[in-house]
Amino acid sequence: MAVCAVLALVCVLVSGVPGARAARAAEATVRQALESTPDTASQHATSHDAVSQDAVSQDAPRQDAASQNAVDEAEIPAAVPAAPPPAGQELRIGFSTSSLPYVDMVNKSGLEPRLVAAALGRSGYRVVPVFLPHARALELVRKGTLDGCGPVGRHADVAGLALGDMYLQYRNVAVSLEAAGLDINSLADLQNLPVTAFHNARVFMGPDFAAMAGANPRYEEQVDQRAQVEAFFHRRDRVIVVDERIFAFHRARLAARGVGAPVRIHRIFPAQDRFFVFRDPVVRDAFDAGLRQLQESGEYRRMVR
């Protein structure tokens, strides 16, 4: 009878009855068929019991497969966004203060923090920048409070620490006002001039520079290089020793405020290699490997230009 109901439904649909009328007609036909055979379920059960064991055996694989498919589908998790990778080991790295564009204390960024984070990030480390004076940073690395620090020069005392590869060259220059008419061609020419250098220049610039600084009674150093460049334009009686990138950065900012004057750039110093030191040689090796990868990929050049 169930077969007849289905055939009736097909006939109704084929006959062209519109959608709503076809659905109502089919529903009535099926209802009439079910009401006319109340014992269908029990008859089906009786017939099922009479089925031979061979028939059951043939149907069993299909039933098992259907059941397994239902289980497999139930076990498939709903689509969810991919979980972020676990955070890498945190490293506290010391950076110098007041040295834009190399270090930006306000935004906890700058060229050097970005470069170190990119290099160590290749090995899964996460860099937390700490800003403090150079000598204090080295002390804290030795004590284990910091995991590394920089920059350090080639002549710095880093005994007991793991020195990384050279990551950058500073281009220190002497700068004088054009109006002063100074002719500076060598370190010896600074001997009797009033000179203001960046903090710890005696350490970074090597023994010959340290000797000049020690013999020059008008030599001084300044921590804040923004103030160093601004004072240079206001005092008009000094020569400053400063990294060329740092000078250009602050000079442009001062020019926007109407502060400035023509200058002479005296390139009398060789380029200065800069390094980072680490407490753990394993971290140093990760930094060196990451730095090489940045250089090979071209990303390093884009960062430092």
Side-chain angles (χ1 to χ4, degrees):
M1 193 64 180
V3 174
C4 294
V6 173
L7 292 174
L9 175 60
V10 172
C11 292
V12 171
L13 294 174
V14 171
S15 64
V17 179
R21 292 174 56 195
R24 288 195 297 273
E27 182 181 356
T29 304
V30 173
R31 188 185 307 110
Q32 181 180 359
L34 292 175
E35 290 174 352
S36 65
T37 56
D39 295 328
T40 300
S42 59
Q43 291 173 2
H44 174 70
T46 302
S47 300
H48 179 73
D49 291 340
V51 176
S52 67
Q53 185 63 36
D54 290 339
V56 173
S57 299
Q58 293 173 2
D59 290 342
R62 291 193 295 271
Q63 294 170 355
D64 291 344
S67 300
Q68 184 61 49
N69 287 340
V71 172
D72 291 344
E73 290 177 1
E75 291 178 349
I76 296 175
V80 294
Q89 180 181 341
E90 184 176 283
L91 297 175
R92 290 169 54 83
I93 304 296
F95 296 92
S96 61
T97 59
S98 301
S99 59
L100 285 165
Y102 294 104
V103 176
D104 182 353
M105 290 178 58
V106 175
N107 298 303
K108 296 184 178 180
S109 183
L111 171 58
E112 288 176 343
R114 289 196 302 270
L115 186 60
V116 174
L120 287 172
R122 296 298 182 97
S123 295
Y125 292 108
R126 187 168 66 88
V127 171
V128 176
V130 180
F131 305 98
L132 68 175
H134 168 74
R136 178 62 174 161
L138 275 175
E139 178 186 351
L140 293 181
V141 174
R142 290 192 170 96
K143 289 182 176 179
T145 305
L146 294 179
D147 297 289
C149 74
V152 298
R154 188 174 296 279
H155 303 286
D157 179 10
V158 294
L161 301 177
L163 183 69
D165 288 340
M166 188 272 289
Y167 73 94
L168 195 64
Q169 284 189 325
Y170 277 29
R171 300 189 299 266
N172 291 306
V173 294
V175 184
S176 66
L177 290 175
E178 180 72 37
L182 297 177
D183 192 15
I184 302 173
N185 298 305
S186 68
L187 180 61
D189 293 332
L190 296 178
Q191 184 70 49
N192 299 313
L193 295 175
V195 176
T196 300
F198 59 90
H199 182 58
N200 270 338
R202 287 182 179 90
V203 175
F204 283 108
M205 298 291 286
D208 291 340
F209 186 91
M212 181 279 298
N216 186 341
R218 293 188 290 175
Y219 175 88
E220 61 184 34
E221 295 181 357
Q222 192 161 359
V223 174
D224 186 342
Q225 293 193 276
R226 178 199 60 79
Q228 177 196 19
V229 176
E230 186 165 7
F232 164 74
F233 285 113
H234 287 305
R235 293 175 62 177
R236 311 182 69 84
D237 64 343
R238 314 283 299 177
V239 173
I240 59 172
V241 174
V242 62
D243 174 76
E244 196 165 3
R245 285 193 188 98
I246 293 175
F247 178 74
F249 180 87
H250 291 299
R251 184 187 187 188
R253 287 195 166 186
L254 290 169
R257 293 165 39 197
V259 176
V263 301
R264 289 183 181 178
I265 305 294
H266 310 277
R267 297 181 176 87
I268 61 173
F269 307 113
Q272 298 287 312
D273 296 342
R274 292 293 180 258
F275 307 85
F276 269 81
V277 293
F278 302 92
R279 185 168 53 87
D280 188 344
V282 173
V283 176
R284 184 270 314 278
D285 293 344
F287 172 78
D288 289 350
L291 184 62
R292 287 193 297 272
Q293 292 173 25
L294 291 175
Q295 292 167 338
E296 291 167 359
S297 68
E299 186 175 352
Y300 174 89
R301 181 177 298 177
R302 291 190 294 272
M303 294 177 72
V304 303
R305 66 183 178 186

Coordinates of all heavy atoms in Angstrom, one line a residue, residues 175-225:
V175 N 80.5 67.2 13.4 CA 79.6 68.2 12.7 C 80.0 69.6 13.2 O 80.0 69.8 14.4 CB 78.1 67.9 12.9 CG1 77.3 68.9 12.1 CG2 77.8 66.5 12.5
S176 N 80.2 70.5 12.3 CA 80.4 71.9 12.7 C 79.5 72.8 11.9 O 79.0 72.4 10.8 CB 81.9 72.3 12.5 OG 82.2 72.3 11.1
L177 N 79.3 74.0 12.4 CA 78.5 75.0 11.6 C 79.3 75.5 10.4 O 80.5 75.8 10.6 CB 78.1 76.1 12.5 CG 77.0 75.8 13.6 CD1 76.8 77.0 14.4 CD2 75.7 75.3 12.9
E178 N 78.7 75.7 9.3 CA 79.4 76.3 8.2 C 80.0 77.6 8.5 O 81.1 77.9 8.1 CB 78.3 76.4 7.0 CG 78.9 77.0 5.7 CD 79.8 76.0 5.0 OE1 79.5 74.8 5.0 OE2 80.8 76.5 4.4
A179 N 79.3 78.4 9.3 CA 79.7 79.7 9.6 C 81.0 79.7 10.4 O 81.8 80.7 10.4 CB 78.7 80.5 10.4
A180 N 81.3 78.6 11.1 CA 82.5 78.5 11.9 C 83.8 78.4 11.1 O 84.9 78.7 11.5 CB 82.4 77.4 12.9
G181 N 83.6 77.9 9.9 CA 84.7 77.8 8.9 C 85.8 76.8 9.4 O 87.0 77.0 9.1
L182 N 85.5 75.8 10.1 CA 86.5 74.9 10.7 C 86.9 73.9 9.6 O 86.0 73.3 8.8 CB 85.9 74.1 11.9 CG 85.6 75.0 13.1 CD1 84.9 74.1 14.2 CD2 86.8 75.7 13.6
D183 N 88.2 73.5 9.6 CA 88.7 72.5 8.7 C 89.1 71.4 9.5 O 90.2 71.4 10.1 CB 89.9 73.1 7.9 CG 90.3 72.3 6.7 OD1 89.5 71.4 6.4 OD2 91.4 72.5 6.2
I184 N 88.3 70.3 9.6 CA 88.6 69.2 10.4 C 88.8 68.0 9.5 O 87.8 67.5 8.8 CB 87.4 68.9 11.4 CG1 87.1 70.2 12.2 CG2 87.6 67.7 12.2 CD1 85.9 70.1 13.1
N185 N 90.0 67.5 9.5 CA 90.3 66.4 8.6 C 90.8 65.1 9.3 O 91.0 64.1 8.7 CB 91.5 66.8 7.6 CG 91.0 67.9 6.7 OD1 90.0 67.8 6.1 ND2 91.7 69.0 6.7
S186 N 91.0 65.2 10.6 CA 91.5 64.1 11.4 C 91.1 64.2 12.9 O 90.7 65.3 13.3 CB 93.0 63.9 11.3 OG 93.7 65.0 12.0
L187 N 91.3 63.2 13.6 CA 90.9 63.2 15.0 C 91.8 64.2 15.8 O 91.3 64.9 16.7 CB 91.2 61.8 15.6 CG 90.9 61.6 17.1 CD1 89.5 61.9 17.4 CD2 91.3 60.2 17.5
A188 N 93.0 64.4 15.3 CA 93.9 65.4 16.0 C 93.4 66.8 15.9 O 93.6 67.6 16.8 CB 95.3 65.3 15.4
D189 N 92.6 67.1 14.9 CA 92.0 68.4 14.7 C 91.0 68.8 15.8 O 90.6 69.9 15.9 CB 91.4 68.6 13.3 CG 92.5 68.5 12.2 OD1 93.6 68.9 12.5 OD2 92.1 68.1 11.1
L190 N 90.5 67.8 16.5 CA 89.5 68.0 17.5 C 90.1 68.3 18.9 O 89.5 68.7 19.8 CB 88.6 66.8 17.7 CG 87.7 66.4 16.5 CD1 86.9 65.1 16.9 CD2 86.8 67.5 16.2
Q191 N 91.4 68.1 18.9 CA 92.2 68.2 20.2 C 91.9 69.5 21.0 O 91.7 69.5 22.2 CB 93.7 68.1 20.0 CG 94.5 68.0 21.2 CD 94.3 66.7 22.0 OE1 94.3 65.6 21.4 NE2 94.1 66.8 23.3
N192 N 91.9 70.6 20.3 CA 91.7 71.9 20.9 C 90.4 72.6 20.7 O 90.3 73.8 20.9 CB 92.9 72.8 20.5 CG 94.2 72.3 20.9 OD1 94.5 71.9 22.0 ND2 95.2 72.3 19.9
L193 N 89.4 71.8 20.2 CA 88.1 72.4 20.0 C 87.1 72.0 21.0 O 87.3 70.9 21.6 CB 87.6 71.9 18.6 CG 88.4 72.4 17.4 CD1 87.8 71.7 16.1 CD2 88.3 73.9 17.2
P194 N 86.1 72.8 21.3 CA 85.0 72.4 22.2 C 84.2 71.3 21.5 O 83.6 71.5 20.5 CB 84.2 73.7 22.5 CG 84.5 74.5 21.3 CD 85.9 74.2 20.8
V195 N 84.2 70.1 22.1 CA 83.5 69.0 21.5 C 82.5 68.4 22.5 O 82.7 68.2 23.7 CB 84.5 67.9 21.2 CG1 83.8 66.6 20.6 CG2 85.6 68.4 20.2
T196 N 81.3 68.1 21.9 CA 80.2 67.4 22.7 C 79.9 66.1 21.9 O 79.5 66.2 20.8 CB 78.9 68.2 22.8 OG1 79.2 69.4 23.5 CG2 77.9 67.5 23.6
A197 N 80.2 65.0 22.6 CA 80.0 63.7 21.9 C 78.8 63.0 22.6 O 78.3 63.4 23.7 CB 81.2 62.8 22.0
F198 N 78.4 61.9 22.0 CA 77.3 61.1 22.6 C 77.8 60.4 23.8 O 79.0 60.2 24.1 CB 76.7 60.2 21.6 CG 77.7 59.2 21.0 CD1 78.0 58.0 21.6 CD2 78.5 59.5 19.9 CE1 78.9 57.1 21.1 CE2 79.4 58.7 19.3 CZ 79.6 57.4 20.0
H199 N 76.9 59.9 24.7 CA 77.2 59.3 25.9 C 78.0 58.0 25.7 O 77.7 57.2 24.8 CB 75.9 58.9 26.7 CG 76.2 58.3 28.0 ND1 76.9 58.9 29.0 CD2 75.8 57.1 28.5 CE1 76.9 58.1 30.1 NE2 76.2 57.0 29.8
N200 N 79.1 57.8 26.4 CA 80.0 56.7 26.3 C 80.8 56.6 25.0 O 81.2 55.6 24.6 CB 79.2 55.4 26.5 CG 79.2 54.9 27.9 OD1 80.0 55.3 28.8 ND2 78.2 54.1 28.3
A201 N 81.0 57.8 24.4 CA 81.8 57.8 23.2 C 83.2 57.3 23.4 O 83.8 56.7 22.5 CB 81.8 59.2 22.6
R202 N 83.7 57.6 24.6 CA 85.1 57.1 24.9 C 85.2 55.6 24.8 O 86.2 55.1 24.4 CB 85.4 57.5 26.4 CG 85.7 59.0 26.6 CD 86.1 59.2 28.1 NE 86.4 60.6 28.4 CZ 85.5 61.4 28.8 NH1 84.3 61.1 29.0 NH2 85.9 62.7 29.1
V203 N 84.1 54.9 25.1 CA 84.1 53.4 25.1 C 83.9 53.0 23.6 O 84.6 52.1 23.1 CB 83.0 52.8 26.0 CG1 82.9 51.3 25.8 CG2 83.3 53.2 27.4
F204 N 82.9 53.6 23.0 CA 82.5 53.1 21.6 C 83.5 53.5 20.5 O 83.7 52.7 19.6 CB 81.2 53.7 21.2 CG 80.0 53.0 21.9 CD1 79.3 53.7 22.9 CD2 79.6 51.8 21.5 CE1 78.2 53.1 23.5 CE2 78.5 51.1 22.1 CZ 77.8 51.8 23.1
M205 N 84.2 54.6 20.7 CA 85.0 55.1 19.6 C 86.5 54.7 19.6 O 87.2 55.0 18.7 CB 85.0 56.7 19.6 CG 83.6 57.3 19.5 SD 83.0 57.0 17.8 CE 83.9 58.2 16.9
G206 N 86.8 53.9 20.6 CA 88.2 53.3 20.6 C 89.2 54.1 21.4 O 88.9 55.2 21.9
P207 N 90.4 53.5 21.6 CA 91.4 54.1 22.5 C 91.9 55.5 22.0 O 92.2 56.3 22.8 CB 92.5 53.1 22.5 CG 92.3 52.2 21.3 CD 90.8 52.2 21.1
D208 N 92.1 55.7 20.7 CA 92.6 56.9 20.2 C 91.6 58.1 20.5 O 92.0 59.2 20.9 CB 92.9 56.9 18.7 CG 94.0 55.9 18.3 OD1 94.8 55.7 19.2 OD2 94.1 55.5 17.2
F209 N 90.4 57.8 20.3 CA 89.4 58.8 20.6 C 89.3 59.1 22.1 O 89.2 60.2 22.6 CB 88.0 58.4 20.1 CG 86.9 59.4 20.3 CD1 86.6 60.3 19.3 CD2 86.2 59.5 21.5 CE1 85.7 61.3 19.4 CE2 85.2 60.5 21.6 CZ 84.9 61.4 20.6
A210 N 89.4 58.0 22.9 CA 89.4 58.2 24.4 C 90.6 59.0 24.8 O 90.5 59.8 25.7 CB 89.5 56.8 25.0
A211 N 91.8 58.9 24.1 CA 92.9 59.7 24.5 C 92.7 61.1 24.2 O 93.1 62.0 24.9 CB 94.2 59.1 23.7
M212 N 92.1 61.4 23.0 CA 91.8 62.8 22.7 C 90.8 63.4 23.7 O 91.0 64.5 24.1 CB 91.1 62.8 21.3 CG 90.8 64.2 20.8 SD 89.2 64.9 21.4 CE 88.0 63.7 20.8
A213 N 89.8 62.6 24.1 CA 88.8 63.1 25.0 C 89.4 63.4 26.4 O 89.1 64.4 27.0 CB 87.7 62.1 25.2
G214 N 90.4 62.5 26.8 CA 91.0 62.7 28.1 C 91.9 63.9 28.1 O 92.1 64.6 29.1
A215 N 92.5 64.3 26.9 CA 93.4 65.4 26.9 C 92.7 66.7 26.5 O 93.4 67.8 26.6 CB 94.5 65.1 25.8
N216 N 91.5 66.7 26.2 CA 90.8 67.9 25.8 C 89.9 68.4 27.0 O 88.9 67.8 27.3 CB 89.9 67.6 24.6 CG 89.2 68.8 24.0 OD1 89.1 69.9 24.7 ND2 88.7 68.7 22.8
P217 N 90.3 69.5 27.6 CA 89.5 70.0 28.7 C 88.1 70.5 28.4 O 87.3 70.7 29.3 CB 90.4 71.2 29.3 CG 91.2 71.6 28.1 CD 91.4 70.4 27.3
R218 N 87.8 70.7 27.1 CA 86.5 71.2 26.7 C 85.7 70.1 26.1 O 84.7 70.3 25.4 CB 86.7 72.4 25.7 CG 87.3 73.6 26.4 CD 87.2 74.8 25.4 NE 88.2 74.7 24.3 CZ 88.3 75.5 23.3 NH1 87.5 76.6 23.3 NH2 89.2 75.4 22.4
Y219 N 86.1 68.9 26.3 CA 85.3 67.7 25.9 C 84.2 67.4 26.9 O 84.5 67.4 28.1 CB 86.2 66.5 25.6 CG 85.5 65.2 25.3 CD1 85.2 64.9 23.9 CD2 85.1 64.3 26.2 CE1 84.6 63.8 23.6 CE2 84.4 63.2 25.9 CZ 84.2 62.9 24.6 OH 83.5 61.7 24.2
E220 N 83.0 67.0 26.4 CA 81.9 66.6 27.2 C 81.1 65.6 26.5 O 81.2 65.5 25.2 CB 81.1 67.8 27.7 CG 80.4 68.5 26.6 CD 79.7 69.8 27.1 OE1 80.1 70.4 28.1 OE2 78.6 70.1 26.5
E221 N 80.2 64.9 27.2 CA 79.3 63.9 26.6 C 77.9 64.2 27.1 O 77.7 64.8 28.2 CB 79.7 62.5 27.0 CG 81.1 62.0 26.4 CD 81.4 60.6 26.8 OE1 80.7 60.0 27.6 OE2 82.5 60.1 26.3
Q222 N 76.9 63.8 26.2 CA 75.5 64.1 26.5 C 74.7 62.9 26.2 O 74.8 62.2 25.2 CB 75.0 65.3 25.7 CG 73.7 65.8 26.2 CD 73.5 67.2 25.7 OE1 74.3 67.8 25.0 NE2 72.3 67.8 26.0
V223 N 73.8 62.5 27.2 CA 73.0 61.3 27.1 C 71.9 61.5 26.0 O 71.7 60.7 25.1 CB 72.4 60.9 28.4 CG1 71.4 59.8 28.2 CG2 73.5 60.5 29.4
D224 N 71.2 62.6 26.1 CA 70.1 62.9 25.3 C 70.6 63.5 23.9 O 71.0 64.6 23.9 CB 69.1 63.9 26.0 CG 67.8 64.1 25.2 OD1 67.8 63.8 24.0 OD2 66.8 64.6 25.8
Q225 N 70.5 62.7 22.9 CA 71.0 63.2 21.6 C 70.1 64.2 20.9 O 70.6 65.0 20.1 CB 71.4 62.0 20.7 CG 72.5 61.1 21.3 CD 73.1 60.1 20.4 OE1 72.6 59.1 20.2 NE2 74.2 60.5 19.7

